[in-house]
Amino acid sequence: MTGDAVTADFVRVCSLGELAEGEPARADIGGYEVALVRTETGEVFAVDDTCSHANVSLSEGEVDGCTIECWLHGSRFDLRTGHPDSLPAIAPIATYPVKIDGDDVFVAVPTS
């Protein structure tokens, strides 16, 4: 947004134990549909749950390392940056900051 201040507050979404490694999970955080992913190395990422190529849920796709693949057309997105690394998607998806506090997973989405 040009000229508008964007703020983000961290919201507790789940516990680490609720996120299976390599299995995306979907969460609604302040009206944002977010795909949460805990990688095999233990990192947790939060990205927009909607593929930028087709209006389908990325949390229904497959995770490979630090990428998530759209189940419909096979576009793959980097969980760290949101950038697509395979066609047909050419536009990135949003990524959201994640904070782990003990066993709690917090995600920040824009609030204004």
Side-chain angles (χ1 to χ4, degrees), residues 39-50:
T39 66
E40 292 177 1
T41 61
E43 294 177 282
V44 177
F45 296 96
V47 298
D48 187 27
D49 188 45
T50 305

Side-chain angles (χ1 to χ4, degrees), residues 2-112:
T2 305
D4 292 331
V6 176
T7 60
D9 293 321
F10 281 93
V11 176
R12 186 191 180 280
V13 180
C14 63
S15 69
L16 276 174
E18 293 177 280
L19 294 176
E21 291 180 0
E23 306 250 347
R26 183 175 164 198
D28 182 324
I29 307 169
Y32 289 84
E33 294 296 326
V34 175
L36 295 166
V37 175
R38 184 177 184 186
T39 66
E40 292 177 1
T41 61
E43 294 177 282
V44 177
F45 296 96
V47 298
D48 187 27
D49 188 45
T50 305
C51 177
S52 64
H53 169 255
N55 191 22
V56 297
S57 175
L58 289 174
S59 61
E60 296 176 20
E62 293 189 22
V63 174
D64 182 20
C66 280
T67 62
I68 190 166
E69 182 177 328
C70 176
W71 62 268
L72 186 59
H73 295 117
S75 292
R76 297 170 58 89
F77 297 89
D78 187 310
L79 292 167
R80 297 165 293 208
T81 65
H83 291 277
D85 64 6
S86 66
L87 296 173
I90 58 172
I93 57 173
T95 61
Y96 304 104
V98 174
K99 179 172 64 172
I100 309 298
D101 185 7
D103 189 47
D104 295 321
V105 178
F106 294 84
V107 177
V109 295
T111 56
S112 62

